[in-house]
Amino acid sequence: MADAERIAHPQPESEGVRAHRPRLTSGLSVRAKAVLAAAGTVAFAIALCMLALVLALQHNLRDSADLDARNAAVAIKGQLGKTRAMPQRAYIIAPGAVTIKDASGRTVTTHTTPTDATSQGPTGLSDLPAEPAEPVEAVEAGQPYSVSVSPSTTSVNSATGLLLRQAAPAAAGLVLFVAGLTWLLVGRALRPVAAMRQEFTEITERDLHRRVPVPRARDEIHRLARTMNATLDRLHRAMTRQRQFVADASHELRSPIAAVRAQLELALTRPSRTDWPAAVHKALRDTDRLQTVASDLLLLARLDAQEAPPKAAVDLGALAAEEVRRHPGALTMDQPTTAGDQSTTAPSQSPKSGDHLTKTRAQDPPAVVTGSRVQLSRLLTNLADNARRHTRTAVSITVAVRGGTVELAVDDDGPGIPEGDRERVFERFTRLDDARARQDGGTGLGLAIANDIAHAHGGTLTVLTSPRGGARLLLRLPRAA
């Protein structure tokens, strides 16, 4: 019984099922949908026009029928007036839709329908002979009568039917013509889309240099093709950078591994004459380099994944002070100048023995930003290490707050970076001519990592000319609210 009730009263569908129910036109192509829309619109417009035309025609014909009936009533009234000069009983010739009643309300004349509508005159009266073909009620002279004439609807019905019979085939032909024309025009317009789809399905990761054809017409399909080609350009560049990055990483990892292997094989060939502590130290240095490259690659992979850095308040001034304390004698911290709004530093003064850190002024606002303390510390370390490898004397670090931006500048007095290479130095595994030697300790990833960290925190990292004559690496980050 319960099963029967469930069958008789099925459970209502859930909202999710109803929401995913396919529409009637979901299986149709864009071409078919356009044809249906065009044909339906034209058919609806024709129907409205036909309805308006029929209503206007019927209104005019009814007005004409009312006028004819009014004229007929006036003519009959004239006939009734003429009977006073005739004998006591006379005959009145009237159209079939006329009713004459006496003073008591009795109908004295019944209707007589003319057999031929064309026999009616301009007044609507019959042009029959004086003696009627059929007997009619006689009226008496001198008596009051009321005359009523009903308008004829024959002409209205005939004209409406004729209009519909003549206009329906023309309307159907017009709808078919519009549907066929829409089918051809939409098919011609979508022909480039088919070519683009065919080309796009054949593009794989091995031939990203191919592009979809761009139609000549400056329309939406033209813009779609340009957008698709621009996307393919970005994918091609990204794939090229990825392949180059993998090749450079393999080369960087292979070099220390090959060095360790060569040292160990050489030591094994002459075990009695090998200085094992020195060999182990050399292997450890290459292992350290290998570990550095591996950690840099891991950090770059995390940055490429665009993981949002933790939202914590970080004082860049405190980070810079910690970095200076880790490298006494090699780094100094300068105060920003107050003149103007430019990122310049005061000339570095010779620090006293054991004191290479200049305290920031108490009235300066705190240089606090929002982000990851670990990543920002790594950024500052990379900038300082890069400057220390190229400076002649010492590296100065400046932290300043300018409006809603915190600026950190790292200056050196080395050879500087040419303007043509100031964008290229942020590419991965990039070494300039004077830094090609690996004994300098650089992997070519330091500035690339620093630039990625800056962008991940909503900032920028640029290369300028230092007032000290070398290079200035300027970091700009939004200040924490």
Side-chain angles (χ1 to χ4, degrees), residues 119-469:
S119 64
Q120 295 181 0
T123 61
L125 298 178
S126 175
D127 292 335
L128 295 176
E131 292 294 331
E134 297 181 1
V136 296
E137 183 83 15
V139 297
E140 297 181 358
Q143 297 295 326
Y145 294 95
S146 63
V147 180
S148 62
V149 181
S150 300
S152 176
T153 60
T154 303
S155 60
V156 176
N157 297 333
S158 300
T160 302
L162 179 62
L163 177 62
L164 293 178
R165 286 192 301 270
Q166 295 293 331
L174 180 59
V175 171
L176 292 178
F177 173 76
V178 171
L181 183 62
T182 304
W183 178 269
L184 294 177
L185 293 179
V186 174
R188 184 176 181 180
L190 294 179
R191 193 177 303 163
V193 177
M196 292 162 53
R197 177 180 174 274
Q198 180 66 27
E199 183 69 20
F200 200 77
T201 53
E202 297 177 359
I203 296 177
T204 63
E205 68 277 2
R206 296 184 178 180
D207 49 7
L208 288 175
H209 60 280
R210 298 174 60 177
R211 297 294 179 267
V212 299
V214 180
R216 296 181 179 178
R218 301 285 180 173
D219 53 6
E220 290 79 3
I221 299 178
H222 175 87
R223 292 191 290 271
L224 175 62
R226 291 177 60 88
T227 302
M228 294 175 66
N229 286 336
T231 302
L232 290 174
D233 288 338
R234 292 192 296 269
L235 289 176
H236 191 199
R237 290 194 298 268
M239 184 63 70
T240 302
R241 288 195 303 268
Q242 186 71 17
R243 290 172 179 172
Q244 185 65 34
F245 176 72
V246 171
D248 293 338
S250 301
H251 179 71
E252 292 293 332
L253 293 175
R254 185 178 58 182
S255 298
I257 293 176
V260 172
R261 182 181 179 87
Q263 293 172 11
L264 294 179
E265 288 179 350
L266 181 61
L268 288 177
T269 57
R270 299 178 299 175
S272 58
R273 293 182 295 176
T274 299
D275 186 357
W276 289 103
V280 171
H281 281 81
K282 291 181 180 179
L284 285 177
R285 285 198 302 270
D286 290 332
T287 304
D288 291 339
R289 176 178 176 79
L290 183 63
Q291 183 178 2
T292 301
V293 174
S295 62
D296 290 346
L297 293 177
L298 180 60
L299 180 56
L300 283 174
R302 292 176 178 175
L303 293 174
D304 288 340
Q306 296 182 353
E307 297 178 359
K311 301 296 183 181
V314 181
D315 190 349
L316 282 186
L319 283 182
E322 293 177 3
E323 188 69 21
V324 169
R325 282 191 290 267
R326 281 197 298 267
H327 302 280
L331 300 178
T332 61
M333 190 168 179
D334 293 343
Q335 292 180 353
T337 59
T338 57
D341 192 28
Q342 298 177 350
S343 301
T344 58
T345 59
S348 179
Q349 298 177 357
S350 300
K352 297 180 181 179
S353 177
D355 185 12
H356 301 278
L357 177 62
T358 304
K359 300 289 184 179
T360 58
R361 293 167 295 183
Q363 64 270 22
D364 290 339
V368 179
V369 298
T370 302
S372 171
R373 181 180 180 86
V374 176
Q375 292 184 9
L376 292 175
S377 178
R378 179 63 182 274
L379 184 154
L380 183 56
T381 299
N382 289 358
L383 297 183
D385 291 345
N386 178 81
R388 285 191 299 111
R389 283 194 298 269
H390 298 89
T391 191
R392 293 187 180 90
T393 56
V395 177
S396 63
I397 300 177
T398 307
V399 180
V401 177
R402 305 188 186 279
T405 303
V406 177
E407 296 182 354
L408 185 145
V410 179
D411 295 277
D412 64 70
D413 57 355
I417 300 176
E419 291 187 4
D421 296 329
R422 290 182 178 180
E423 293 293 334
R424 193 169 64 90
V425 292
F426 296 118
E427 298 177 1
R428 298 171 182 182
F429 297 107
T430 298
R431 296 186 181 89
L432 300 183
D433 294 336
D434 57 350
R436 294 286 183 182
R438 286 191 174 87
Q439 58 267 23
D440 291 339
T443 62
L445 295 175
L447 293 183
I449 292 175
N451 189 47
D452 289 348
I453 293 176
H455 283 90
H457 286 75
T460 59
L461 183 61
T462 55
V463 179
L464 304 173
T465 301
S466 174
R468 303 175 60 184

